[in-house]
Amino acid sequence: MSPHVMVVEDDESAREMMDIALSQAGFAVSAVSNGEAALDLLHRCRFALVLLDVHMPRINGLAVLAAMGAFRSRPPVLMVSANTQSTTIRQALSLGCAGYLAKPFSPRDLVERARWALAGPEPVTLH
């Protein structure tokens, strides 16, 4: 069964590129254009991964990520944004995102980072 991934991106062309790249890589994709739709869908469906833009109208990605903190269980979240300010990245990481992918990125980079996020943290080995 293909991992079900949600793409939350307000820019239509970026959302389309992400949907196509992930679908061609074998992921099942649900794409929405804003934070409100993302939270609604998260309450109704289970996802293996969420790809979440930072800057969106009404509810931004950081607010969506913060709201997801109240969920009993939540999928890993990979933030995707052109905003590479260290304060924004630190805030996203403190809210529990698994990683941060800076725009622009290639479809190949997107798929690799999605697979990385789905793999979860590497096991710690003690010697």
Side-chain angles (χ1 to χ4, degrees):
M1 187 168 185
S2 301
H4 193 187
V5 176
M6 179 166 52
V7 171
V8 187
E9 170 62 63
D10 63 322
D11 180 89
E12 185 177 354
S13 61
R15 187 174 61 249
E16 229 175 79
M17 182 276 285
M18 294 168 73
D19 187 344
I20 291 167
L22 293 165
S23 295
Q24 288 179 345
F27 295 94
V29 180
S30 293
V32 297
S33 62
N34 62 66
E36 292 168 339
L39 289 171
D40 179 57
L41 199 53
L42 282 164
H43 286 292
R44 295 185 288 116
C45 301
R46 288 200 173 276
F47 293 94
L49 176 66
V50 175
L51 300 167
L52 183 58
D53 186 18
V54 172
H55 296 290
M56 296 182 290
R58 294 190 299 262
I59 300 176
N60 71 33
L62 295 173
V64 171
L65 185 58
M68 289 175 69
F71 291 7
R72 186 194 283 133
S73 72
R74 74 173 199 191
V77 175
L78 183 61
M79 302 302 290
V80 290
S81 181
N83 181 341
T84 57
Q85 294 179 349
S86 60
T87 54
T88 303
I89 295 169
R90 277 196 301 273
Q91 185 178 7
L93 291 170
S94 73
L95 290 169
C97 81
Y100 202 96
L101 181 59
K103 293 178 185 176
F105 49 81
S106 69
R108 182 175 158 215
D109 288 342
L110 173 68
V111 170
E112 286 176 4
R113 288 304 298 266
R115 288 182 176 141
W116 170 86
L118 283 167
E122 293 189 23
V124 176
T125 56
L126 300 174
H127 297 280

